[in-house]
Amino acid sequence: MSYAQSARRVALDVIMAVRESDAYANLLLPVHLERAKLSPADAGLATELTYGTLRMQGYYDAVIAQAAGRAVSKIDPPVLDVLRLATHQLLSMRVPSHAAVDESVRLAKTIGSRSAVGFVNAVLRAITKHEPEVWRERVIGAAGSGEEALALAYSHPLWVTRAFRQVLVAEGREVELEGLLAADNVPARVSVAALPGFADAAHIDVTIAEYSPVGGILREGDPGKNAAVASGRARVQDEGSQLAALALSRARPIVAGESWLDMCAGPGGKAALLAAEALLGGAQLTANELIPARAKLVRNALAVFDVPPEVWEKDGVEIGQEHPGEFDRILLDAPCTGLGALRRRPEARWRKQPGDVAQLGALQTALLHSALDALKPGGVLAYVTCSPHAAETKAVVGSVLRKVPSVTKMDTPAVVRQIAVHELDMPEASHVQLWPHRHGTDAMFIQLLVKADS
Ligand SMILES: C[S@@+](CC[C@H](N)C(=O)[O-])C[C@H]1O[C@@H](n2cnc3c(N)ncnc32)[C@H](O)[C@@H]1O
């Protein structure tokens, strides 16, 4: 088997596992790369094949359906995996047609019947008959609406495209939809947070971040090679997540002795930043995480502190009743669909379903009620999601505030503006919505809330 064929085999194995057993490509791929002992160049090829194919799956399916003359739901799933992988090579990587087709037919032989092999050969030869630009026109031309055309062209589920459009329309920025979808298809740069009191972004061999005052962008891809990251003084963390944690810790000056809670802390990225800020200001953080394995990750994330914050393993929904009025500041980084972080997990967009939003909305609402119960009178809470979906953000905050009149929205953009190194482009609102295409961050939603003094 040639090296390139090994790279294709690795990619196919990962793509099949993602489909069959809900595996995470970013966790599984390194295992397969290690096992296959590929050269760095071929490991790079396998990575591009895997991530590119998974990300653009929606678009490739539209091409395959036209070339095959049948709906992809009528194609045997492993055969469809081979076709998707080959389509990525033909349309996005400009691999010579004969190599992409021949190698893919060889892969098909290992997983399908003789008729499946003939089918793969025929579909791929049909795809090679047109240039990538022609396929783009054909796919977009067959779309039923402008929204569907964008969803297909940028390989996003239609319901996700609609949800993004709705939020941008509310911001008066509908024209940015195409830019957002395009940005989701570009892998994120690796950004790090220098933990205040432990490291300074100016001195840890990174390019200073555009917005976060503690942030930097790695110059080389491997975080382990950065001394500050390797020693735990800096952490790989999206700049939007850094701003979300700092929005809480810097919402107002810290009074020594304050008590803080990170209610949904796993795996502990924001908890580490909050703990560093708390230590400098004389406050004390408690972290909480429902899932024990993830609570362990939080403990690891906090191990750099001489006296690490306590980590609870409670159901956040019950904390309000168990600890009423106890905390001066609370971060509720709620479990969400993660639709704001599609750059990071190529398969994630196909995993989520509209029904997830409703289910999570009920949990987010219960957690926010509980967090507000646990907040001291006069205390500040940050409600944060890495999803911009209105049903997980403004709708949750709005429905809870209608029932809890003692809580009001803080001018969150004013706080974030004061923290950020450079001016952030933010439409008028009481919340902050960050965007990959506008700010180069994940699409984080941040709403600061204040509880009235009793
Ligand atoms: C968005 S993640 C938090 C990310 C984290 N703040 C960070 O920056 O690393 C949400 C977390 O909430 C946890 N979670 C889900 N339901 C919960 C509950 N009822 N109580 C507490 N934590 C919960 C999930 O296991 C997940 O680890």
Side-chain angles (χ1 to χ4, degrees), residues 219-283:
R219 297 202 184 97
E220 278 188 62
D222 184 357
K225 292 198 174 132
N226 180 291
V229 175
S231 65
R233 294 177 293 120
R235 305 298 169 87
V236 173
Q237 187 174 47
D238 177 64
E239 227 187 308
S241 291
Q242 297 172 35
L243 289 174
L246 296 177
L248 180 69
S249 63
R250 302 188 182 182
R252 55 165 74 135
I254 302 172
V255 177
E258 279 185 10
S259 168
W260 298 4
L261 174 68
D262 182 353
M263 197 183 221
C264 296
K270 294 184 194 70
L273 189 45
L274 283 180
E277 291 272 289
L279 186 62
L280 288 177

Coordinates of all heavy atoms in Angstrom, one line a residue, residues 219-283:
R219 N 2.6 30.9 17.4 CA 3.2 31.1 16.0 C 3.4 29.7 15.4 O 3.3 29.6 14.2 CB 4.6 31.8 16.2 CG 4.4 33.1 16.8 CD 5.6 34.0 16.5 NE 5.5 35.3 17.2 CZ 6.0 35.6 18.4 NH1 6.8 34.7 19.0 NH2 5.8 36.7 19.0
E220 N 3.6 28.7 16.1 CA 3.7 27.4 15.6 C 2.5 26.6 16.1 O 2.0 26.9 17.2 CB 4.9 26.7 16.1 CG 6.2 27.0 15.2 CD 7.3 26.2 15.6 OE1 7.2 24.9 15.5 OE2 8.3 26.7 16.1
G221 N 2.0 25.6 15.3 CA 0.8 24.9 15.6 C 0.8 24.1 16.9 O -0.2 24.0 17.6
D222 N 1.9 23.6 17.3 CA 1.9 22.6 18.4 C 2.0 23.3 19.8 O 3.1 23.8 20.2 CB 3.1 21.6 18.2 CG 3.1 20.5 19.3 OD1 2.2 20.6 20.2 OD2 4.0 19.6 19.2
P223 N 0.9 23.3 20.6 CA 1.0 24.1 21.9 C 2.0 23.5 22.8 O 2.6 24.2 23.6 CB -0.5 23.9 22.4 CG -1.3 23.3 21.3 CD -0.3 22.7 20.3
G224 N 2.2 22.2 22.7 CA 3.1 21.5 23.6 C 4.6 22.1 23.5 O 5.4 21.9 24.5
K225 N 4.9 22.7 22.4 CA 6.2 23.2 22.2 C 6.4 24.6 22.8 O 7.5 25.2 22.8 CB 6.5 23.3 20.7 CG 6.6 21.9 20.1 CD 7.4 21.9 18.7 CE 7.6 20.5 18.2 NZ 7.2 20.4 16.9
N226 N 5.3 25.2 23.3 CA 5.4 26.5 23.9 C 5.6 26.3 25.4 O 4.8 25.6 26.1 CB 4.1 27.3 23.7 CG 4.1 28.7 24.3 OD1 4.1 28.8 25.6 ND2 4.2 29.7 23.5
A227 N 6.7 26.9 25.9 CA 7.1 26.6 27.3 C 6.0 27.0 28.3 O 5.8 26.2 29.3 CB 8.4 27.3 27.6
A228 N 5.4 28.1 28.1 CA 4.4 28.5 29.1 C 3.1 27.6 29.1 O 2.6 27.3 30.1 CB 3.9 30.0 28.7
V229 N 2.8 27.1 27.9 CA 1.6 26.2 27.8 C 2.0 24.9 28.4 O 1.3 24.3 29.2 CB 1.2 26.0 26.3 CG1 0.1 24.9 26.3 CG2 0.7 27.3 25.7
A230 N 3.3 24.4 28.1 CA 3.7 23.1 28.6 C 3.7 23.1 30.2 O 3.5 22.1 30.8 CB 5.1 22.8 28.1
S231 N 4.0 24.3 30.8 CA 4.1 24.3 32.2 C 2.8 24.7 32.9 O 2.7 24.8 34.1 CB 5.2 25.4 32.6 OG 4.8 26.7 32.2
G232 N 1.8 24.9 32.1 CA 0.4 25.3 32.7 C 0.2 26.7 33.0 O -0.8 27.1 33.5
R233 N 1.3 27.6 32.7 CA 1.1 29.0 33.0 C 0.2 29.7 31.9 O -0.3 30.8 32.1 CB 2.5 29.7 33.1 CG 3.3 29.2 34.3 CD 4.7 29.8 34.3 NE 5.5 29.4 33.2 CZ 6.0 30.2 32.3 NH1 5.8 31.5 32.4 NH2 6.7 29.7 31.3
A234 N 0.1 29.0 30.8 CA -0.8 29.5 29.7 C -1.6 28.4 29.3 O -1.2 27.2 29.4 CB 0.1 30.1 28.6
R235 N -2.8 28.7 28.8 CA -3.7 27.6 28.4 C -4.2 27.8 27.0 O -4.5 29.0 26.6 CB -4.9 27.6 29.3 CG -4.6 27.4 30.8 CD -3.9 26.1 31.0 NE -3.3 26.1 32.3 CZ -3.9 25.7 33.4 NH1 -5.2 25.3 33.3 NH2 -3.3 25.6 34.6
V236 N -4.4 26.7 26.2 CA -5.0 26.9 24.9 C -6.5 27.2 25.2 O -7.2 26.5 25.9 CB -5.0 25.5 24.1 CG1 -5.8 25.6 22.8 CG2 -3.5 25.2 23.8
Q237 N -6.9 28.4 24.7 CA -8.3 28.8 24.9 C -8.7 29.9 23.9 O -7.9 30.8 23.6 CB -8.4 29.5 26.3 CG -9.8 29.8 26.7 CD -9.9 30.3 28.2 OE1 -9.0 31.2 28.6 NE2 -10.8 29.8 28.9
D238 N -9.9 29.7 23.3 CA -10.4 30.7 22.4 C -10.4 32.1 23.0 O -10.7 32.2 24.2 CB -11.7 30.2 21.9 CG -12.4 31.2 20.9 OD1 -11.8 31.4 19.8 OD2 -13.4 31.9 21.3
E239 N -10.1 33.1 22.1 CA -10.1 34.4 22.7 C -11.5 34.9 23.2 O -11.6 35.6 24.1 CB -9.7 35.4 21.5 CG -8.6 36.4 21.9 CD -8.4 37.4 20.8 OE1 -8.1 36.9 19.7 OE2 -8.4 38.5 21.1
G240 N -12.5 34.3 22.5 CA -13.9 34.6 23.0 C -14.2 34.1 24.4 O -14.8 34.7 25.2
S241 N -13.7 32.9 24.6 CA -13.8 32.3 26.0 C -13.1 33.1 27.0 O -13.5 33.3 28.1 CB -13.3 30.9 26.0 OG -14.1 30.0 25.2
Q242 N -11.9 33.6 26.6 CA -11.1 34.5 27.5 C -11.9 35.7 27.9 O -12.0 36.1 29.1 CB -9.8 34.9 26.9 CG -8.9 33.7 26.6 CD -7.7 34.1 25.8 OE1 -7.1 35.2 25.9 NE2 -7.2 33.2 24.9
L243 N -12.5 36.4 26.9 CA -13.3 37.6 27.1 C -14.5 37.3 28.0 O -14.9 38.1 28.8 CB -13.7 38.2 25.8 CG -12.6 38.9 25.0 CD1 -13.1 39.3 23.6 CD2 -11.9 40.0 25.7
A244 N -15.1 36.1 27.8 CA -16.3 35.7 28.6 C -15.9 35.6 30.1 O -16.6 36.1 30.9 CB -16.9 34.4 28.1
A245 N -14.8 35.0 30.4 CA -14.4 34.8 31.8 C -14.0 36.2 32.4 O -14.4 36.5 33.5 CB -13.2 33.8 31.9
L246 N -13.3 37.0 31.6 CA -12.8 38.3 32.1 C -14.0 39.2 32.2 O -13.9 40.2 33.1 CB -11.8 38.9 31.1 CG -10.4 38.1 31.0 CD1 -9.5 38.7 30.0 CD2 -9.7 38.0 32.4
A247 N -15.0 39.1 31.4 CA -16.2 39.9 31.6 C -16.8 39.8 33.0 O -17.2 40.8 33.6 CB -17.3 39.6 30.5
L248 N -16.7 38.6 33.5 CA -17.2 38.4 34.9 C -16.2 38.9 35.9 O -16.5 39.7 36.8 CB -17.5 36.9 35.2 CG -18.0 36.6 36.6 CD1 -19.4 37.2 36.8 CD2 -18.0 35.2 36.9
S249 N -14.9 38.5 35.8 CA -13.9 38.9 36.8 C -13.6 40.4 36.8 O -13.2 40.9 37.8 CB -12.6 38.1 36.6 OG -12.0 38.4 35.4
R250 N -13.9 41.0 35.6 CA -13.5 42.5 35.5 C -14.8 43.3 35.4 O -14.7 44.5 35.0 CB -12.5 42.7 34.4 CG -11.3 41.9 34.6 CD -10.1 42.2 33.6 NE -9.0 41.3 33.9 CZ -7.8 41.4 33.3 NH1 -7.6 42.2 32.3 NH2 -6.8 40.5 33.6
A251 N -16.0 42.8 35.7 CA -17.2 43.5 35.5 C -17.2 44.7 36.5 O -17.8 45.8 36.2 CB -18.4 42.6 35.8
R252 N -16.5 44.6 37.6 CA -16.4 45.6 38.6 C -15.2 45.3 39.4 O -14.7 44.1 39.4 CB -17.6 45.8 39.4 CG -18.0 44.5 40.1 CD -19.0 44.7 41.2 NE -20.4 45.0 40.8 CZ -21.5 44.4 41.3 NH1 -21.3 43.5 42.3 NH2 -22.6 44.8 40.9
P253 N -14.6 46.2 40.1 CA -13.4 45.9 41.0 C -13.7 44.8 41.9 O -14.8 44.7 42.5 CB -13.1 47.2 41.7 CG -13.7 48.3 40.9 CD -14.9 47.7 40.2
I254 N -12.7 43.9 42.2 CA -12.9 42.8 43.1 C -12.7 43.3 44.5 O -11.8 44.0 44.8 CB -11.9 41.7 42.8 CG1 -12.0 41.2 41.4 CG2 -12.0 40.5 43.8 CD1 -10.9 40.2 40.9
V255 N -13.6 42.9 45.4 CA -13.5 43.2 46.8 C -12.9 42.0 47.5 O -13.5 40.9 47.3 CB -14.8 43.6 47.5 CG1 -14.7 43.8 49.0 CG2 -15.4 44.8 46.8
A256 N -11.8 42.1 48.2 CA -11.2 40.9 48.9 C -12.2 40.2 49.7 O -13.0 40.8 50.4 CB -10.0 41.4 49.7
G257 N -12.1 38.9 49.6 CA -13.1 38.0 50.4 C -14.3 37.6 49.6 O -15.1 36.8 50.0
E258 N -14.4 38.1 48.3 CA -15.6 37.7 47.5 C -15.5 36.2 47.3 O -14.5 35.6 47.2 CB -15.5 38.4 46.1 CG -16.1 39.8 46.2 CD -16.1 40.5 44.8 OE1 -16.0 39.7 43.8 OE2 -16.4 41.7 44.7
S259 N -16.7 35.7 47.1 CA -16.8 34.2 46.8 C -17.4 34.1 45.4 O -18.5 34.6 45.1 CB -17.7 33.7 48.0 OG -18.1 32.5 47.8
W260 N -16.7 33.3 44.6 CA -17.1 33.1 43.2 C -17.5 31.6 42.9 O -16.9 30.7 43.5 CB -16.0 33.5 42.2 CG -15.6 34.9 42.3 CD1 -16.0 35.9 43.1 CD2 -14.6 35.5 41.4 NE1 -15.3 37.1 42.8 CE2 -14.4 36.9 41.8 CE3 -13.8 35.0 40.4 CZ2 -13.6 37.7 41.2 CZ3 -12.9 35.9 39.7 CH2 -12.8 37.2 40.1
L261 N -18.4 31.4 41.9 CA -18.7 30.1 41.5 C -18.7 29.9 40.0 O -19.2 30.8 39.3 CB -20.2 29.7 42.0 CG -20.7 28.4 41.5 CD1 -20.0 27.2 42.1 CD2 -22.2 28.3 41.8
D262 N -18.0 28.9 39.5 CA -18.1 28.5 38.1 C -19.0 27.3 38.1 O -18.6 26.2 38.5 CB -16.7 28.2 37.6 CG -16.7 27.8 36.1 OD1 -17.8 27.7 35.5 OD2 -15.6 27.7 35.5
M263 N -20.2 27.4 37.7 CA -21.2 26.4 37.9 C -21.2 25.2 37.0 O -21.6 24.1 37.4 CB -22.6 27.1 37.8 CG -23.7 26.3 38.3 SD -25.3 27.2 38.0 CE -26.1 27.0 39.5
C264 N -20.7 25.4 35.8 CA -20.6 24.3 34.8 C -19.2 24.4 34.2 O -18.9 24.9 33.2 CB -21.6 24.5 33.7 SG -23.3 24.4 34.3
A265 N -18.2 23.8 35.0 CA -16.8 24.2 34.8 C -16.0 23.3 33.8 O -15.0 23.7 33.3 CB -16.1 24.3 36.1
G266 N -16.5 22.1 33.6 CA -15.7 21.2 32.8 C -15.5 21.6 31.3 O -16.5 22.1 30.7
P267 N -14.3 21.5 30.8 CA -13.1 20.9 31.3 C -12.2 21.8 32.1 O -11.2 21.4 32.6 CB -12.4 20.4 30.1 CG -12.8 21.4 29.0 CD -14.2 21.8 29.3
G268 N -12.6 23.1 32.3 CA -11.9 23.9 33.3 C -11.1 25.1 32.7 O -10.4 25.7 33.4
G269 N -11.3 25.3 31.4 CA -10.6 26.4 30.8 C -10.9 27.8 31.4 O -10.0 28.5 31.9
K270 N -12.2 28.1 31.5 CA -12.5 29.4 32.1 C -12.3 29.4 33.6 O -11.9 30.4 34.2 CB -14.0 29.7 31.8 CG -14.2 30.0 30.3 CD -15.6 30.4 30.0 CE -15.9 30.3 28.5 NZ -16.0 28.9 28.0
A271 N -12.4 28.2 34.3 CA -12.2 28.1 35.7 C -10.7 28.5 36.0 O -10.5 29.2 37.0 CB -12.5 26.7 36.2
A272 N -9.8 28.1 35.2 CA -8.4 28.4 35.4 C -8.2 29.9 35.4 O -7.5 30.5 36.2 CB -7.5 27.7 34.5
L273 N -8.8 30.5 34.4 CA -8.6 32.0 34.2 C -9.3 32.7 35.4 O -8.7 33.6 35.9 CB -9.2 32.4 32.8 CG -9.0 33.8 32.4 CD1 -7.5 34.3 32.5 CD2 -9.4 33.9 30.9
L274 N -10.5 32.3 35.7 CA -11.2 32.9 36.9 C -10.4 32.7 38.2 O -10.3 33.6 39.0 CB -12.6 32.3 37.0 CG -13.7 32.7 36.0 CD1 -15.0 32.0 36.4 CD2 -13.8 34.2 36.1
A275 N -9.8 31.5 38.3 CA -9.1 31.2 39.6 C -7.9 32.2 39.7 O -7.6 32.7 40.8 CB -8.7 29.8 39.6
A276 N -7.2 32.4 38.5 CA -6.1 33.3 38.5 C -6.5 34.7 38.9 O -5.8 35.4 39.7 CB -5.4 33.2 37.2
E277 N -7.6 35.1 38.3 CA -8.1 36.5 38.6 C -8.5 36.6 40.0 O -8.3 37.6 40.7 CB -9.3 36.8 37.7 CG -9.0 36.9 36.2 CD -8.6 38.4 35.8 OE1 -9.5 39.2 35.8 OE2 -7.4 38.6 35.6
A278 N -9.2 35.6 40.5 CA -9.7 35.6 41.9 C -8.5 35.7 42.9 O -8.5 36.5 43.8 CB -10.5 34.3 42.2
L279 N -7.4 34.9 42.6 CA -6.3 34.9 43.5 C -5.6 36.3 43.5 O -5.3 36.8 44.6 CB -5.2 33.9 42.9 CG -4.0 33.6 43.7 CD1 -4.4 33.0 45.1 CD2 -3.1 32.7 43.0
L280 N -5.5 37.0 42.4 CA -4.9 38.3 42.4 C -5.8 39.3 43.2 O -5.3 40.2 43.8 CB -4.7 38.8 40.9 CG -3.6 38.1 40.1 CD1 -3.6 38.6 38.7 CD2 -2.3 38.3 40.8
G281 N -7.1 39.1 43.1 CA -8.0 40.1 43.7 C -8.4 39.7 45.2 O -9.2 40.4 45.8
G282 N -8.0 38.6 45.6 CA -8.3 38.2 47.0 C -9.7 37.5 47.1 O -10.3 37.5 48.2
A283 N -10.2 37.0 46.0 CA -11.5 36.3 46.0 C -11.2 34.8 46.0 O -10.1 34.4 45.8 CB -12.3 36.7 44.8

